[in-house]
Amino acid sequence: MKYLKINIEENVDPEMLKNAILQLKGVTSAEVVDDENPESELKKAFAKTKEQLKTGDYETLVNDIFDIIIKK
């Protein structure tokens, strides 16, 4: 999978931009990441893990953990 990183100005509404990008052909997902607030990313990771445990998706959970461990 390939990613495109876009830096935006302070006064831009990130959700509005995200919705516009999702309308482009070939875009499957878009996510707003706040580098100044890493806690939000941690909350997302815990929520994803919690959901994976609820649904019994242990294989994906283990793969995600291994990706984190071996990631440079």
Side-chain angles (χ1 to χ4, degrees), residues 40-66:
S40 65
E41 286 302 306
L42 188 57
K43 285 182 182 177
K44 287 181 193 176
F46 279 122
K48 180 180 176 186
T49 301
K50 187 176 178 181
E51 192 61 34
Q52 287 171 328
L53 289 172
K54 282 183 183 177
T55 60
D57 190 6
Y58 303 112
E59 183 177 343
T60 305
L61 176 62
V62 171
N63 288 340
D64 289 347
I65 292 171
F66 279 129

Side-chain angles (χ1 to χ4, degrees), residues 9-20:
E9 296 177 354
E10 293 284 329
N11 58 350
V12 174
D13 181 7
E15 287 300 319
M16 191 180 234
L17 184 59
K18 174 184 164 183
N19 290 334

Side-chain angles (χ1 to χ4, degrees), residues 1-8 17-18 20-22 24-33 35:
M1 184 179 300
K2 294 185 180 184
Y3 296 92
L4 174 66
K5 182 176 179 179
I6 300 172
N7 294 314
I8 59 174
L17 184 59
K18 174 184 164 183
I21 290 172
L22 285 170
L24 298 172
K25 183 178 178 182
V27 175
T28 57
S29 67
E31 180 180 352
V32 177
V33 178
D35 286 338

